[in-house]
């Protein structure tokens, strides 16, 4: 079995997962509905008739983003762990495919499938917003593009890419370690939280040391100036 065939097999299976096709369709419809209901609010419509819509829209959006956050965690976990649950992994490895190659192909297929799902969920809300707020949308796109002509924009982009790759590696490591068990999601959260605390502590310590160094060196610079 070639790498291309494995990749096609993974994509075909991912894109024909009926349960998650339904979930993606429901999320697409709900986000589209939330966007359509939010257009009058964004246009600044006033009056007592708009207040019930405002009271409905805010909790609706909060619930939607929580649902999307859960989907963004559970869906890739499902795609990565499904081979452990249906015993396909052992069959593929037994057919002569290297385990490392299979893992790499599966990660790429999972990333691509998730990007396609996010695109489907977001395309209609973006089209609606672009249609009703054309000038603001064009201005936002221009500002976004202009931001990446500066060094800071590329630093942010590279940081996001590195962070995403790190998350994917940790994610798949936990899938392998727990053999696809659902409780492994909580292990992933624990590891991510722990790493976040460590990184934040290191950044804070470096900032503190840098501040102290500058403070200690200030009298020396004053002596030079004097």
């Amino acid at each position: 079995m070639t790498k291309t065939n494995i990749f096609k097999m993974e994509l075909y299976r991912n894109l024909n997962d009926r349960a998650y096709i339904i979930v993606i369709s429901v999320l697409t419809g709900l986000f589209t509905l939330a966007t359509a209901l939010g257009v009058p609010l964004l246009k600044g419509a006033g009056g007592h008739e708009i207040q019930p819509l405002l009271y409905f829209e805010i909790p609706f959006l909060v619930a939607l983003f929580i649902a999307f956050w859960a989907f963004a965690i559970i869906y890739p976990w499902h795609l990565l762990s499904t081979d452990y649950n249906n015993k396909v992994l052992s069959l593929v490895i037994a057919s002569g495919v290297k385990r490392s190659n299979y893992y790499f192909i599966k990660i790429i297929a999972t990333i691509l499938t998730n990007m396609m799902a996010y695109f489907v969920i977001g395309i209609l809300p973006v089209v609606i917003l672009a249609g009703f707020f054309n000038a603001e949308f064009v201005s936002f796109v221009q500002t976004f593009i202009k931001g990446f002509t500066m060094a800071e924009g590329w630093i942010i982009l590279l940081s996001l890419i590195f962070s995403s790759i790190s998350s994917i590696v940790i994610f798949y490591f936990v899938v392998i370690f727990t053999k696809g068990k659902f409780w492994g999601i909580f292990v992933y959260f624990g590891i991510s939280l722990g790493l976040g605390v460590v990184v934040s502590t290191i950044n804070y310590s470096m900032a503190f040391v840098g501040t102290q160094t500058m403070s200690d060196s200030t009298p020396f610079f004053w002596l030079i100036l004097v």
Side-chain angles (χ1 to χ4, degrees):
M1 186 179 294
T2 64
K3 296 178 182 178
T4 303
N5 289 335
I6 296 173
F7 182 72
K8 290 180 179 178
M9 178 186 70
E10 287 294 325
L11 275 185
Y12 177 81
R13 184 173 57 184
N14 293 349
L15 297 177
N16 286 273
D17 193 329
R18 293 184 180 179
Y20 280 91
I21 288 176
I22 294 173
V23 172
I24 293 169
S25 301
V26 170
L27 286 175
T28 302
L30 291 176
F31 270 102
T32 303
L33 176 62
T35 306
L37 294 176
V39 166
L41 299 175
L42 294 173
K43 278 186 169 293
H48 295 289
E49 68 279 359
I50 209 70
Q51 287 185 355
L53 179 60
L54 179 63
Y55 295 146
F56 172 77
E57 181 75 359
I58 293 176
F60 185 38
L61 280 175
V62 171
L64 268 182
F65 280 108
I66 292 174
F68 182 78
W69 174 78
F71 171 79
I73 296 295
I74 296 174
Y75 186 47
W77 183 273
H78 164 73
L79 295 179
L80 290 171
S81 64
T82 184
D83 287 345
Y84 285 98
N85 299 325
N86 57 23
K87 309 301 181 183
V88 170
L89 178 61
S90 57
L91 295 176
V92 173
I93 300 303
S95 67
V97 178
K98 290 183 178 180
R99 189 180 294 266
S100 58
N101 290 340
Y102 183 69
Y103 286 161
F104 179 76
I105 293 171
K106 192 165 185 65
I107 289 174
I108 298 299
T110 300
I111 293 172
L112 182 58
T113 304
N114 276 267
M115 295 303 295
M116 293 170 67
Y118 301 155
F119 176 80
V120 170
I121 293 171
I123 185 64
L124 287 178
V126 170
V127 169
I128 292 173
L129 291 175
F132 282 96
F133 303 95
N134 184 48
E136 292 84 351
F137 184 78
V138 171
S139 176
F140 170 78
V141 172
Q142 290 176 343
T143 303
F144 182 80
I145 294 174
K146 188 182 297 183
F148 283 98
T149 61
M150 299 181 294
E152 292 83 359
W154 288 107
I155 291 173
I156 294 173
L157 179 62
L158 291 174
S159 177
L160 287 173
I161 292 174
F162 179 76
S163 176
S164 300
I165 293 174
S166 301
S167 297
I168 292 168
V169 170
I170 295 171
F171 204 84
Y172 202 60
F173 168 78
V174 176
V175 171
I176 296 172
F177 180 74
T178 61
K179 295 185 177 180
K181 300 296 189 297
F182 186 77
W183 53 265
I185 291 178
F186 301 102
V187 176
Y188 167 73
F189 283 142
I191 294 175
S192 299
L193 180 61
L195 288 176
V197 171
V198 171
V199 171
S200 299
T201 302
I202 293 173
N203 289 337
Y204 176 78
S205 300
M206 292 177 65
F208 179 76
V209 170
T211 304
Q212 288 295 108
T213 303
M214 290 294 295
S215 177
D216 294 340
S217 61
T218 300
F220 175 75
F221 286 114
W222 274 112
L223 288 173
I224 294 177
L225 292 174
V226 173

